[in-house]
Amino acid sequence: MIVKHLEDIIRTEDDVDTPTWNARRLLLKKDGMGFSLHDTVIKAGTETMIWYKNHLEAVYCIDGEGEIEVAGGETYPIRPGTLYALDGHEKHYLRAYSGGPMRMVCVFNPPLTGREVHDEEGAYPLVE
Ligand code: 9YT
């Protein structure tokens, strides 16, 4: 059984910070669960282009407000309680409004190994 607290992750190698988001990766491939689970902060007033070509991701907002725009498609508002699941590997733009950060619970299948940051196309590499 695995028991962790967010405090165990902060300022470790599983706490990955970028200019637009900060992912605290609670469960990773090494934990053997078949998915990874992250507590991710999307920084206020930012936009991130994301395109998970190699992964499925579900995202559940627990704090803050923003929106997701599917490239060439619709824009959906995000507020606490909103879930989006990228079941079609959709390229998208994720925005947190300037009033404050958004806090998201993210699940990835296959699991991330831990060090991934987006490449220039917004993807993460597939690590076998
Ligand atoms: C919601 C989202 O995709 N944010 C980017 C970071 C990612 N969730 C991660 O690596 O935790």
Side-chain angles (χ1 to χ4, degrees), residues 7 28 46 63 95 102 128:
E7 290 168 358
L28 287 161
T46 65
D63 194 27
R95 304 182 186 105
M102 284 196 296
E128 288 299 346

Side-chain angles (χ1 to χ4, degrees), residues 50-59 68-71 76 83-94 106-109 118 122:
I50 300 172
W51 193 4
Y52 295 125
K53 298 177 189 181
N54 303 311
H55 298 83
L56 299 172
E57 186 196 29
V59 180
I68 178 171
E69 178 180 349
V70 178
Y76 303 90
L83 163 82
Y84 66 85
L86 299 161
D87 59 347
H89 301 277
E90 292 89 347
K91 180 179 180 180
H92 60 282
Y93 299 87
L94 181 62
C106 310
V107 177
F108 278 82
N109 172 22
H118 300 122

